[in-house]
Amino acid sequence: MKKAIVVGATGGTGAVITAELVKRGLPVIAFGRSRQKLEELARELGNPSHLTLAIGDAYRPDDIVSAAKEAEVLFHCANVPYHEMESKLIPLGEAIMEAANRLSLKVVAIDGIYPYGRRQMDRVTEEHPKKPHTKKGKVRLAFEQMIFSSRWKNVSAMIVRLPDYYGPTANQASYLGGTLEAIAAGKMAFFIGNMKVPREYVYLPDAAVMIVELARQDQAYGQNWNIPGADIISGHEIVRIAQQASGMKKPVIALGKAGLSLLGLFVPVMKEIVEMLYLTKEPLRLSGDKYKRFIGPIPATKPADGIAATIRELQKKR
């Protein structure tokens, strides 16, 4: 990989992938809508000379084409508001793929586990049947089909699938991000879903290492790849670790269907989470066997270490 462009570089996954590329000394273009956020990202990374900032709209292929000078790989990290997924996810993806097709780029699309539907095996492999039973799962499956469409004759693409994630850049982009931000700030926090059932979360810096490693391998394209977390952990244990690291213990309230529906009257995104609550009761854990066979050992920061590091980094930013 000689040069990369990260579309959605200031988001949860985009920022950490940009950081990993910069760390490896690879020339990278950080593409986003907000000059302020891009400049803030550059400052956090030490304003490296091999990082270029590009302001544009990911819904406009021409903007991406103009920005992606000499890029070889495009990381599709752009996302849409949760409550606008049905109407905007596919058009966004099509615009990005159109730009990639014009430039004959390789594409690494970041996605989640929704298309798998309900768990049908203990460790879900890339061959797990995709039978989504939710609106968002069906939209995400359509997104996969669009990415791998024969329309894009000049593109080689892969999809990397993450479970819910956490880390200093996660913010409100993940269920857990807002919880940890509130705990780090010493505020009352909400935890989405069941706090008793252990679930899988991936630490974003670990995910970035795995994603960039896959992007470097020509043979990895044309496939789905699972990016697993280090372990499973319950909400109660997450809160205990986070509060210990922050030194503060404000209340943490679990939100189920009733609470989310009530909040959804004022915050539309909250009511959209309700249909996905099954994942907090019937958690789905990803298998990393394919990655290990193809790449090697999986970076696996222990949840206790990753959560504590996330709290410390969030407190530094306050």
Side-chain angles (χ1 to χ4, degrees):
M1 188 190 332
K2 297 178 181 177
K3 190 173 186 179
I5 179 169
V6 181
V7 177
T10 59
T13 57
V16 76
I17 289 172
T18 301
E20 180 62 24
L21 292 164
V22 165
K23 180 181 176 181
R24 295 182 185 221
L26 292 166
V28 57
I29 303 158
F31 181 96
R33 288 178 299 177
S34 167
R35 179 183 296 275
Q36 180 181 347
K37 289 182 179 179
L38 286 168
E39 290 177 348
E40 182 181 336
L41 173 64
R43 283 194 300 272
E44 290 176 355
L45 297 177
N47 289 309
S49 60
H50 55 295
L51 174 65
T52 303
L53 306 183
I55 295 91
D57 184 347
Y59 286 95
R60 294 171 55 88
D62 289 347
D63 287 5
I64 299 172
V65 170
S66 297
K69 304 297 184 184
E70 300 178 352
E72 178 186 355
V73 178
L74 182 152
F75 291 87
H76 176 3
C77 302
N79 216 329
V80 297
Y82 213 55
H83 60 293
E84 297 179 350
M85 188 182 297
E86 287 183 77
S87 61
K88 293 187 175 181
L89 182 69
I90 303 298
L92 174 63
E94 287 178 329
I96 292 170
M97 291 299 289
E98 169 63 27
N101 194 54
R102 289 191 208 169
L103 296 169
S104 299
L105 298 181
K106 297 173 182 173
V107 172
V108 180
I110 316 302
D111 203 6
I113 60 176
Y114 294 176
Y116 286 133
R118 296 189 184 277
R119 181 186 65 217
Q120 296 180 36
M121 56 184 75
D122 289 338
R123 296 286 185 106
V124 170
T125 69
E126 288 82 354
E127 288 71 42
H128 185 284
K130 293 189 175 78
K131 296 180 179 178
H133 59 287
T134 62
K135 291 183 296 183
K136 292 175 186 58
K138 291 172 183 176
V139 171
R140 288 290 178 179
L141 180 55
F143 174 80
E144 173 183 324
Q145 293 163 346
M146 182 276 298
I147 291 290
F148 290 132
S149 170
S150 59
R151 281 189 286 167
W152 321 117
K153 299 185 184 303
N154 302 319
V155 175
S156 295
M158 75 170 79
I159 295 178
V160 292
R161 299 199 178 281
L162 282 63
D164 200 10
Y165 52 76
Y166 70 97
T169 65
N171 51 59
Q172 302 297 326
S174 74
Y175 287 4
L176 194 53
T179 304
L180 296 183
E181 279 192 340
I183 292 174
K187 299 178 181 178
M188 183 184 76
F190 293 109
F191 186 94
I192 294 173
N194 190 303
M195 294 184 70
K196 296 178 182 178
V197 178
R199 296 167 54 198
E200 180 179 44
Y201 300 87
V202 67
Y203 183 48
L204 276 179
D206 288 346
V209 171
M210 290 186 268
I211 291 166
V212 172
E213 282 298 322
L214 284 166
R216 294 175 61 239
Q217 309 296 325
D218 288 344
Q219 305 95 316
Y221 291 86
Q223 303 180 55
N224 276 288
W225 293 90
N226 287 344
I227 304 296
D231 203 352
I232 57 174
I233 185 171
S234 72
H236 287 303
E237 187 65 5
I238 289 169
V239 168
R240 183 192 67 77
I241 294 166
Q243 289 181 334
Q244 184 176 26
S246 71
M248 293 173 275
K249 290 189 176 182
K250 289 292 178 70
V252 177
I253 300 171
L255 290 177
K257 181 177 179 179
L260 289 167
S261 298
L262 181 61
L263 282 175
L265 297 174
F266 310 98
V267 185
V269 69
M270 288 299 181
K271 66 180 179 182
E272 291 295 327
I273 297 173
V274 171
E275 72 167 351
M276 307 312 301
L277 283 177
Y278 77 95
L279 283 169
T280 74
K281 300 175 183 177
E282 310 167 33
L284 184 153
R285 190 173 186 189
L286 296 176
S287 167
D289 287 347
K290 181 178 175 181
Y291 183 93
K292 286 186 280 190
R293 288 195 309 270
F294 190 81
I295 301 293
I298 290 175
T301 300
K302 294 179 181 178
D305 296 332
I307 293 166
T310 297
I311 294 295
R312 289 193 296 269
E313 288 299 314
L314 289 173
Q315 289 183 323
K316 282 182 188 177
K317 293 180 181 181
R318 288 173 54 204

